[in-house]
Amino acid sequence: MAKSNLKVKEQVKKSNLKVVDDREIKTTAYSDINLKKWKDYSHVKTDTLWEFPTRLKEGGHSNEYHGNYIPQIAQQIYERYTKKDDVILDLFFGSGTSGIEAVNMGRRCIGVELKDDLAEKVAKKFTPKQLVTDVNIICGDSASEIAKDKVQARLEVMGKKHAQLLMLHPPYDDIIKFSDKKEDLSNCATTDEFYDLFEKVAKNGYDLLEKGRFACLIIGDSYKNSEVQPLGFMCMAKMMNLGFKLKGIIVKDIQGNERAKGKTANLWRYRALAGGFYIFKHEYVMVFQKV
Ligand SMILES: C[S@@+](CC[C@H](N)C(=O)[O-])C[C@H]1O[C@@H](n2cnc3c(N)ncnc32)[C@H](O)[C@@H]1O
């Protein structure tokens, strides 16, 4: 340690002040979290059980789209796995939660959404300037080569070769039917077909993601033909087969985004007791790394 530094430390010790050295910054290659001040980040989750009693409605978010994810997920994932100005790629953009939170947190976003009317509507949530510099919305099928080429072109315009985070929030098979389009993952004839389409989208995501960076899969399971369809674990396996390394399986309660309450909830409880099954109260947030 330099002599002058020692002197300062001695003076500080005498005066009972704490040493706060702003030049001391230690981060990972993929986040701005200052590990030298790790105790200041108590809001950042490191445990595998996430409970958010209410959905965040501030900061440009609204709950008008049935099937959107709660913004707190983006906040947690972006802070841990991205740096300022990084580009987040969301291949199931929906109502644009990933884009809104990217802007709020000083990140950028490219979103691909199959439904053109929705993509047009979501674009209105951003200013014309933001739509040039911060958020790029592509209307198309995320499983296709065309969409992949378009994302690559937008990345280039944004000064990047690859995206720095991949967000995947696919339909949960056919639980909510988003459109009648044959490319729509919520419109597959069978669950196996859903898995195949998911794999194609995930493969595009893998290729477009920078090495060393992270992917986040948000998904819940379904109940069909009197048995649980483990969509979460099956899609997780697809991701791992593509070469992603699994870093975390987070169980998130769905209190903040469930709709059935009161009488409907009681009816489901009766059905569960009569049918020998359990009512879903959770979904998964799975984290992967491209190594
Ligand atoms: C669960 S929602 C995503 C919601 C979004 N995360 C949000 O917070 O608003 C899934 C979305 O994927 C879209 N989708 C389905 N198949 C697609 C495909 N092949 N390519 C692109 N988007 C697709 C649906 O239209 C729907 O908007």
Side-chain angles (χ1 to χ4, degrees):
M1 189 180 292
K3 258 188 184 171
S4 58
N5 255 358
L6 266 178
K7 216 172 169 187
V8 172
K9 284 215 163 167
E10 270 166 24
Q11 280 169 358
V12 167
K13 210 173 166 189
K14 271 186 208 157
S15 65
N16 259 345
L17 283 173
K18 272 191 179 165
V19 185
V20 180
D21 186 348
D22 282 338
R23 289 165 305 172
E24 279 190 39
I25 294 174
K26 184 183 171 194
T27 63
T28 57
Y30 51 79
S31 153
D32 286 330
I33 289 176
N34 184 0
L35 296 170
K36 294 268 184 186
K37 294 188 179 170
W38 63 275
K39 286 186 181 161
D40 293 353
Y41 295 87
S42 55
H43 60 283
V44 175
K45 294 185 181 295
T46 46
D47 297 336
T48 58
L49 182 62
W50 289 8
E51 288 169 293
F52 297 109
T54 51
R55 169 188 290 272
L56 191 84
K57 292 199 183 78
E58 301 81 40
H61 296 287
S62 54
N63 190 13
E64 88 290 351
Y65 194 55
H66 190 26
N68 57 7
Y69 73 76
I70 68 168
Q72 289 98 320
I73 295 179
Q75 290 177 345
Q76 288 291 327
I77 296 293
Y78 290 4
E79 190 159 4
R80 281 205 70 185
Y81 301 112
T82 59
K83 289 176 166 288
K84 278 233 152 44
D85 282 334
D86 275 355
V87 176
I88 292 138
L89 172 64
D90 185 334
L91 293 175
F92 300 102
F93 200 51
S95 63
T97 310
S98 296
I100 294 167
E101 215 40 52
V103 170
N104 291 346
M105 293 177 69
R107 275 76 173 153
R108 296 177 292 163
C109 187
I110 298 175
V112 185
E113 168 57 46
L114 187 65
K115 293 196 289 180
D116 37 11
D117 53 333
L118 180 61
E120 262 171 48
K121 200 171 143 201
V122 172
K124 295 198 177 97
K125 294 184 179 183
F126 303 96
T127 64
K129 183 177 177 289
Q130 282 170 341
L131 287 172
V132 174
T133 55
D134 302 327
V135 181
N136 262 295
I137 303 169
I138 296 166
C139 183
D141 168 16
S142 290
S144 68
E145 277 300 311
I146 302 172
K148 190 176 164 187
D149 291 347
K150 282 187 183 173
V151 171
Q152 235 144 15
R154 303 288 173 102
L155 280 167
E156 245 171 70
V157 172
M158 292 167 114
K160 301 275 186 191
K161 275 198 172 133
H162 292 94
Q164 283 70 54
L165 175 73
L166 173 66
M167 294 295 282
L168 294 175
H169 182 213
Y172 302 174
D173 197 5
D174 57 0
I175 291 187
I176 300 173
K177 200 170 165 194
F178 290 100
S179 76
D180 292 327
K181 292 179 188 275
K182 66 173 185 347
E183 302 89 351
D184 190 330
L185 270 77
S186 70
N187 195 29
C188 296
T190 63
T191 303
D192 281 340
E193 195 187 302
F194 163 81
Y195 293 137
D196 289 346
L197 281 190
F198 173 79
E199 189 173 20
K200 286 195 179 117
V201 177
K203 168 82 172 79
N204 275 349
Y206 184 88
D207 293 344
L208 291 161
L209 184 67
E210 189 175 304
K211 208 171 163 206
R213 292 307 195 106
F214 290 77
C216 170
L217 169 65
I218 303 155
I219 191 162
D221 297 324
S222 78
Y223 197 78
K224 209 191 236 177
N225 306 327
S226 305
E227 63 180 331
V228 172
Q229 307 292 319
L231 305 179
F233 292 138
M234 296 296 278
C235 290
M236 176 188 85
K238 296 277 184 203
M239 298 281 284
M240 292 166 78
N241 284 342
L242 287 171
F244 280 112
K245 201 172 191 173
L246 181 64
K247 300 295 282 189
I249 301 176
I250 295 144
V251 174
K252 180 200 148 287
D253 80 353
I254 53 172
Q255 284 178 77
N257 47 348
E258 71 178 348
R259 292 197 167 200
K261 295 225 167 75
K263 268 188 189 168
T264 336
N266 274 334
L267 182 61
W268 274 111
R269 194 168 145 67
Y270 173 80
R271 284 179 182 156
L273 286 168
F277 65 88
Y278 288 88
I279 302 161
F280 295 116
K281 287 285 168 189
H282 70 280
E283 58 193 351
Y284 299 105
V285 178
M286 294 175 175
V287 178
F288 305 84
Q289 190 174 21
K290 178 175 173 177
V291 286

